[in-house]
Amino acid sequence: LTGKVLPIGGLREKMVAAKGAGITELVVPYENEKDVNEIEEEIKKGITIHYAKTYEDVYLVAFTK
């Protein structure tokens, strides 16, 4: 409960599912940036990726514009 955003697994599959659902913005743990770089451009096309280290980073993307 420190507010730190932890890395996740299966990022490629989650991105494919999000794209299929019409989601255009994703918040990804900062530690998964290297995984995002390995994902094919076709999957990332049309998706804005925000990296988060803390809950505050997630909050700023999810609840402000």
Side-chain angles (χ1 to χ4, degrees):
L1 299 174
T2 63
K4 181 179 178 187
V5 176
L6 302 175
I8 59 172
L11 182 59
R12 182 184 185 283
E13 292 78 12
K14 289 174 175 69
M15 288 184 75
V16 169
K19 187 169 185 157
I23 295 172
T24 59
E25 293 196 41
L26 293 177
V27 178
V28 175
Y30 180 79
E31 293 181 31
N32 285 100
E33 184 174 9
K34 63 179 177 4
D35 301 322
V36 171
N37 293 334
E38 296 174 1
I39 296 173
E40 300 89 356
E41 289 300 320
E42 185 60 33
I43 294 172
K44 296 187 285 188
K45 184 178 179 181
I47 297 177
T48 303
I49 300 171
H50 305 273
Y51 294 101
K53 288 184 180 181
T54 64
Y55 168 76
E56 183 178 356
D57 299 334
V58 176
Y59 180 88
L60 291 173
V61 172
F63 298 109
T64 60
K65 269 290 177 181

